[in-house]
Amino acid sequence: MRRKRLFGKYFKLKYAMWAMGCCAALLCAAPILGDTYGLETTYCEVLLDGEVIGAVADPSVVDQAFLDARAQVSRETSGLVLANVACDFQQVEKLVGSTLESTELENLIYGLLKEKVKTAKQKYYLVKVNEFTVNLRNMDEVKALLLAALSPYDPDGMFQVEVISDTSRELNAFTIQVTPKGEIPEGDGLKALDFFEKVEIAEAYINEEQLTELSEAIDQVTKEKEKNQTYEVQPGDTLSVIANSRGYYVDEVLALNPGLSRDTTLQIGDEIVISVPEPELSISSTVQSTYEEDYFAETQYIDNDSWYTTERVVRQEPSAGHHEVTVLTTSKNQTETGREMIAENVIVEPVPEIIEKGTQTPPTYIKPITGGTLTSGFKWRWGRMHKGIDWATPVGTAVRASCGGTVVSAGWSNGYGYCITLRHPDGRQTRYAHLSKILVSTGQKVEQNERIALSGNTGRSTGPHVHFEILINGAQVNPLQYLN
């Protein structure tokens, strides 16, 4: 009995060792048998962007599972999603390993794609006005932004914004049009509305962090900011007038114009830089209005070829008329830029002003000597009025006619010493005194700048000089106001 039990134990151990050896042999032979007889010795690992996410027994289900998962993500996401995700598979030699069914694989890929969409660049809309840009979530926000800029000028909501695809450009770009929602009512009121600047809209693929909230975008576009503009100087303008009319100090205007100073004399047509508050997006509006007002007729002129242009006489005084007018006023934001009268009903005819004026160019007056030093002006001196101006100059300096004319007198004249008086075509006279030598005679015609005498020190004189006078209607005036 004892021996039998020992034999049974020995037999069981030998059998177990034999089974283990067979298994090992099968493991070693499986690849060879699989290659030789086509036995299934591998399974497929599925890769998403190069990372293994699972395995399948049948590789043909991978592509379809990826397509179905991607389609589901697209249905749940507004707009085009730029998530560059690659799905692939690779065969791996294994005898054992868990695999996914096609539905399980699709759900796995779907979940992973949803995570990637959160950080992917999506399609949004860029709005550009000059150099200003803002990114908005969708086209509804774009229209809301543009309408917010228009609404202060369209309280009744008569106009709408249309976004139109720009087929002339390669990118997905759009243009805009402001159009009436219906018929524009007749009579006074708003007639047209548009954006002053060009507004460009384009699709932009950016991260969500680069978006601007609609309320902030509206504030950025509509809030007035200081912008530099060029202003052309008009008649009557000075630095203080230009600055004060815009609520600025002169120093603020000077800071924008480094070439100017407080002593600068502005000329009509000069251009200076001024600061003007304006929003990023300005609005152009056209409004019709009807009102009554007094008005004056255009002045009528009668030319007189025997008069100089400095002579004019009013032949008929003006009288205001009264009319009812209908005008179209165009404005940029709140500033009027133009006005056109489209209808007029005259109630009282105006009487025009009639002016007779000369056409001849008046003579000019020049300094009668070259050089010299101004020693006395047209002013009170030594208890009496000095009715001319004096230039100190050496005796013998050429004295020339300040203006062409006729010699009225030429000779000695008491305190003037040797003196010449000329009458000119405009009725004025010039006088030259304290001369040393006279070179013309009474009644002689002389031209402007023609030499008529030599300077001296004759008469009531304290030194060599020329005394010069201009007389209008027989009375002396300040020559410096008439000399060119």
Side-chain angles (χ1 to χ4, degrees), residues 367-388:
K367 183 180 176 182
I369 64 170
T370 301
T373 301
L374 183 66
T375 56
S376 185
F378 188 84
K379 62 182 180 179
W380 283 93
R381 187 185 67 172
W382 304 332
R384 61 181 179 178
M385 186 67 183
H386 182 242
K387 299 182 178 180

Side-chain angles (χ1 to χ4, degrees), residues 405-411 419-424 427-432 440-446 452 471:
T406 303
V407 179
V408 174
S409 63
C419 177
I420 297 174
T421 300
L422 303 180
R423 181 187 295 111
H424 306 288
R428 298 172 182 173
Q429 292 182 337
T430 54
R431 184 172 290 154
Y432 314 79
V440 294
S441 57
T442 302
Q444 182 179 337
K445 301 287 187 182
V446 296
I452 59 174
L471 299 88

Side-chain angles (χ1 to χ4, degrees), residues 9 44 60 63 192 243 484:
K9 184 177 181 181
C44 291
S60 65
D63 286 343
N484 284 348

Side-chain angles (χ1 to χ4, degrees), residues 124-128 169 171-174 200-204:
Y124 299 115
Y125 291 91
L126 179 145
V127 180
K128 185 174 185 293
R169 299 175 62 176
L171 298 175
N172 290 331
F174 306 86
E200 299 177 272
I201 302 171
E203 292 180 357

